[in-house]
Amino acid sequence: MSSKTISQDLFGDKRIGFFIYLFVEAVMFSTLFATYIIYTPPQTGPHPGELFEWKTIILASIFLLSSSGTLLLSEKGLNDRNMKLIMTEIGLTFLLGAAFMYFEIEEFRKFIMEGHVISTNNFLSSYYVLVGLHASHVTFGLGWMIVLFIQGRILPFNLFKEKHKIFNYYWHFVDVIWVIILLVVYAPYLL
Protein backbone atom coordinates (compact mmCIF):
# COMPACT_ATOMS: atom_id res chain seq x y z
CA MET A 1 0.00 0.00 0.00
CA SER A 2 1.47 3.37 -0.99
CA SER A 3 2.02 6.21 1.47
CA LYS A 4 -0.49 8.33 -0.49
CA THR A 5 -3.20 5.68 -0.01
CA ILE A 6 -2.41 5.44 3.72
CA SER A 7 -2.57 9.23 3.99
CA GLN A 8 -5.93 9.37 2.18
CA ASP A 9 -7.36 6.60 4.40
CA LEU A 10 -6.11 8.36 7.52
CA PHE A 11 -7.66 11.68 6.55
CA GLY A 12 -10.86 9.99 5.39
CA ASP A 13 -11.23 8.59 8.91
CA LYS A 14 -10.40 11.99 10.41
CA ARG A 15 -13.02 13.67 8.24
CA ILE A 16 -15.66 11.15 9.31
CA GLY A 17 -14.70 11.68 12.95
CA PHE A 18 -14.84 15.43 12.47
CA PHE A 19 -18.30 15.25 10.89
CA ILE A 20 -19.45 13.22 13.91
CA TYR A 21 -18.02 15.95 16.14
CA LEU A 22 -19.88 18.64 14.16
CA PHE A 23 -23.10 16.62 14.45
CA VAL A 24 -22.71 16.48 18.24
CA GLU A 25 -22.02 20.23 18.27
CA ALA A 26 -25.17 20.81 16.21
CA VAL A 27 -27.23 18.80 18.74
CA MET A 28 -25.74 20.84 21.59
CA PHE A 29 -26.47 24.15 19.87
CA SER A 30 -30.02 22.95 19.07
CA THR A 31 -30.59 22.31 22.76
CA LEU A 32 -29.30 25.79 23.61
CA PHE A 33 -31.51 27.38 20.94
CA ALA A 34 -34.53 25.56 22.37
CA THR A 35 -33.64 26.75 25.87
CA TYR A 36 -33.26 30.32 24.65
CA ILE A 37 -36.64 30.20 22.89
CA ILE A 38 -38.34 28.84 26.02
CA TYR A 39 -36.96 31.59 28.27
CA THR A 40 -37.32 34.54 25.91
CA PRO A 41 -38.80 37.06 26.41
CA PRO A 42 -38.31 37.08 30.18
CA GLN A 43 -41.03 37.54 32.78
CA THR A 44 -38.88 40.06 34.67
CA GLY A 45 -35.82 42.10 33.88
CA PRO A 46 -34.73 43.66 30.61
CA HIS A 47 -36.45 42.74 27.37
CA PRO A 48 -34.17 41.66 24.48
CA GLY A 49 -35.38 44.60 22.41
CA GLU A 50 -34.04 46.94 25.10
CA LEU A 51 -30.57 45.38 25.03
CA PHE A 52 -29.73 44.49 21.44
CA GLU A 53 -28.38 47.12 19.06
CA TRP A 54 -28.52 46.83 15.29
CA LYS A 55 -25.16 48.55 14.77
CA THR A 56 -23.21 46.03 16.84
CA ILE A 57 -25.02 43.02 15.37
CA ILE A 58 -24.65 44.19 11.77
CA LEU A 59 -20.95 45.01 12.12
CA ALA A 60 -20.19 41.72 13.90
CA SER A 61 -22.11 39.83 11.21
CA ILE A 62 -20.35 41.58 8.35
CA PHE A 63 -16.96 40.66 9.79
CA LEU A 64 -17.78 37.03 10.57
CA LEU A 65 -19.67 36.25 7.37
CA SER A 66 -16.98 37.99 5.28
CA SER A 67 -14.44 35.68 6.88
CA SER A 68 -16.15 32.76 5.15
CA GLY A 69 -15.54 34.54 1.85
CA THR A 70 -11.84 34.95 2.53
CA LEU A 71 -11.65 31.31 3.58
CA LEU A 72 -13.25 30.32 0.25
CA LEU A 73 -10.54 32.31 -1.53
CA SER A 74 -7.98 30.41 0.53
CA GLU A 75 -9.58 27.17 -0.71
CA LYS A 76 -9.08 28.43 -4.27
CA GLY A 77 -5.40 28.76 -3.41
CA LEU A 78 -5.43 25.11 -2.33
CA ASN A 79 -6.66 24.07 -5.76
CA ASP A 80 -3.96 26.15 -7.46
CA ARG A 81 -1.23 25.21 -4.92
CA ASN A 82 -0.73 28.95 -4.36
CA MET A 83 0.68 29.22 -0.83
CA LYS A 84 0.89 33.01 -0.99
CA LEU A 85 -2.86 33.27 -1.65
CA ILE A 86 -3.62 30.64 0.98
CA MET A 87 -1.60 32.38 3.70
CA THR A 88 -2.92 35.84 2.77
CA GLU A 89 -6.52 34.66 2.95
CA ILE A 90 -5.98 32.76 6.21
CA GLY A 91 -4.53 35.98 7.63
CA LEU A 92 -7.54 37.99 6.43
CA THR A 93 -9.91 35.35 7.80
CA PHE A 94 -8.14 35.62 11.16
CA LEU A 95 -8.42 39.44 11.19
CA LEU A 96 -12.12 39.34 10.30
CA GLY A 97 -12.77 36.71 12.99
CA ALA A 98 -10.86 38.82 15.53
CA ALA A 99 -12.93 41.89 14.58
CA PHE A 100 -16.09 39.84 15.14
CA MET A 101 -14.80 38.86 18.59
CA TYR A 102 -14.17 42.52 19.43
CA PHE A 103 -17.86 43.28 18.87
CA GLU A 104 -19.00 40.22 20.82
CA ILE A 105 -16.78 41.09 23.78
CA GLU A 106 -17.92 44.71 23.61
CA GLU A 107 -21.59 43.62 23.62
CA PHE A 108 -21.02 41.42 26.67
CA ARG A 109 -19.04 44.17 28.42
CA LYS A 110 -21.82 46.72 27.81
CA PHE A 111 -24.52 44.39 29.16
CA ILE A 112 -22.48 43.53 32.24
CA MET A 113 -21.62 47.19 32.94
CA GLU A 114 -25.35 47.95 32.82
CA GLY A 115 -25.95 45.23 35.42
CA HIS A 116 -27.41 42.69 33.00
CA VAL A 117 -25.42 39.68 34.17
CA ILE A 118 -25.92 35.95 33.66
CA SER A 119 -27.86 35.63 36.95
CA THR A 120 -30.32 38.45 36.18
CA ASN A 121 -32.94 36.11 34.68
CA ASN A 122 -33.33 32.96 32.61
CA PHE A 123 -33.33 34.94 29.36
CA LEU A 124 -29.89 36.42 30.05
CA SER A 125 -28.59 33.08 31.31
CA SER A 126 -29.62 31.33 28.10
CA TYR A 127 -28.36 34.27 25.99
CA TYR A 128 -24.91 34.30 27.59
CA VAL A 129 -24.51 30.52 27.35
CA LEU A 130 -25.65 30.32 23.71
CA VAL A 131 -23.84 33.37 22.34
CA GLY A 132 -20.87 32.81 24.65
CA LEU A 133 -20.46 29.24 23.44
CA HIS A 134 -20.48 30.46 19.86
CA ALA A 135 -17.87 33.09 20.76
CA SER A 136 -15.71 30.39 22.34
CA HIS A 137 -15.92 28.43 19.08
CA VAL A 138 -14.77 31.51 17.15
CA THR A 139 -11.91 31.98 19.61
CA PHE A 140 -10.89 28.34 19.19
CA GLY A 141 -11.02 28.84 15.39
CA LEU A 142 -8.71 31.85 15.69
CA GLY A 143 -6.20 29.71 17.55
CA TRP A 144 -6.58 26.98 14.95
CA MET A 145 -5.80 29.50 12.20
CA ILE A 146 -2.54 30.39 13.93
CA VAL A 147 -1.64 26.70 13.97
CA LEU A 148 -2.63 26.40 10.26
CA PHE A 149 -0.46 29.37 9.41
CA ILE A 150 2.52 27.64 11.04
CA GLN A 151 1.68 24.25 9.49
CA GLY A 152 1.48 25.85 6.05
CA ARG A 153 5.09 26.81 6.39
CA ILE A 154 6.44 23.46 7.61
CA LEU A 155 4.21 20.61 6.40
CA PRO A 156 4.21 18.98 2.97
CA PHE A 157 1.48 20.53 0.81
CA ASN A 158 -0.81 17.45 0.67
CA LEU A 159 -0.81 17.08 4.46
CA PHE A 160 -1.43 20.82 4.94
CA LYS A 161 -4.26 20.69 2.36
CA GLU A 162 -6.10 18.02 4.36
CA LYS A 163 -5.73 19.96 7.61
CA HIS A 164 -6.97 23.10 5.88
CA LYS A 165 -10.06 21.28 4.54
CA ILE A 166 -10.98 20.03 8.01
CA PHE A 167 -10.62 23.56 9.38
CA ASN A 168 -12.88 24.85 6.59
CA TYR A 169 -15.69 22.55 7.74
CA TYR A 170 -15.33 23.90 11.27
CA TRP A 171 -15.27 27.59 10.31
CA HIS A 172 -18.23 27.32 7.96
CA PHE A 173 -20.16 25.47 10.70
CA VAL A 174 -19.41 28.35 13.09
CA ASP A 175 -20.73 30.80 10.50
CA VAL A 176 -23.92 28.80 9.98
CA ILE A 177 -24.50 28.82 13.76
CA TRP A 178 -24.08 32.61 13.71
CA VAL A 179 -26.74 32.95 10.99
CA ILE A 180 -29.13 30.90 13.13
CA ILE A 181 -28.26 33.09 16.15
CA LEU A 182 -29.10 36.14 14.05
CA LEU A 183 -32.47 34.67 13.09
CA VAL A 184 -33.43 33.25 16.50
CA VAL A 185 -31.76 35.50 19.06
CA TYR A 186 -31.58 38.96 17.51
CA ALA A 187 -33.98 39.41 14.57
CA PRO A 188 -37.28 38.72 16.39
CA TYR A 189 -36.57 41.52 18.88
CA LEU A 190 -35.16 44.11 16.50
CA LEU A 191 -37.69 43.93 13.66
Side-chain angles (χ1 to χ4, degrees):
M1 188 178 279
S2 73
S3 63
K4 186 174 182 175
T5 304
I6 293 170
S7 175
Q8 288 172 338
D9 290 345
L10 175 66
F11 278 105
D13 290 345
K14 285 187 177 186
R15 271 192 229 129
I16 290 169
F18 198 73
F19 284 128
I20 291 169
Y21 161 76
L22 289 180
F23 175 76
V24 171
E25 290 286 295
V27 169
M28 179 180 58
F29 272 107
S30 297
T31 303
L32 294 175
F33 280 115
T35 303
Y36 178 83
I37 291 167
I38 290 167
Y39 289 119
T40 306
Q43 298 295 322
T44 61
H47 188 274
E50 298 167 5
L51 297 177
F52 302 147
E53 295 178 2
W54 270 113
K55 179 185 172 187
T56 303
I57 296 161
I58 289 173
L59 288 173
S61 298
I62 288 170
F63 285 115
L64 188 63
L65 298 177
S66 295
S67 73
S68 266
T70 56
L71 193 60
L72 288 172
L73 291 173
S74 181
E75 288 179 56
K76 182 181 179 337
L78 286 175
N79 296 334
D80 300 337
R81 297 181 74 95
N82 182 343
M83 287 305 285
K84 184 176 180 181
L85 177 63
I86 294 166
M87 292 302 163
T88 300
E89 298 305 327
I90 288 174
L92 288 173
T93 303
F94 179 89
L95 292 174
L96 291 166
F100 168 83
M101 282 306 301
Y102 166 79
F103 285 104
E104 280 304 290
I105 291 167
E106 192 57 30
E107 181 177 61
F108 279 22
R109 186 198 64 77
K110 177 183 172 279
F111 292 170
I112 291 167
M113 295 302 291
E114 292 172 353
H116 308 303
V117 296
I118 197 166
S119 60
T120 301
N121 58 29
N122 289 335
F123 149 66
L124 282 168
S125 295
S126 60
Y127 165 80
Y128 279 117
V129 171
L130 174 59
V131 178
L133 182 64
H134 177 266
S136 71
H137 279 70
V138 173
T139 303
F140 179 79
L142 293 174
W144 194 344
M145 278 186 263
I146 292 169
V147 171
L148 264 181
F149 200 77
I150 295 166
Q151 289 175 331
R153 304 236 182 257
I154 62 174
L155 293 177
F157 184 79
N158 287 338
L159 185 58
F160 171 72
K161 183 177 180 178
E162 291 298 329
K163 291 181 177 287
H164 191 293
K165 284 181 179 179
I166 290 173
F167 172 74
N168 291 349
Y169 303 140
Y170 176 83
W171 196 254
H172 293 310
F173 172 81
V174 168
D175 278 359
V176 167
I177 295 297
W178 180 251
V179 170
I180 298 169
I181 287 173
L182 283 174
L183 295 173
V184 172
V185 173
Y186 294 111
Y189 302 99
L190 289 173
L191 296 178

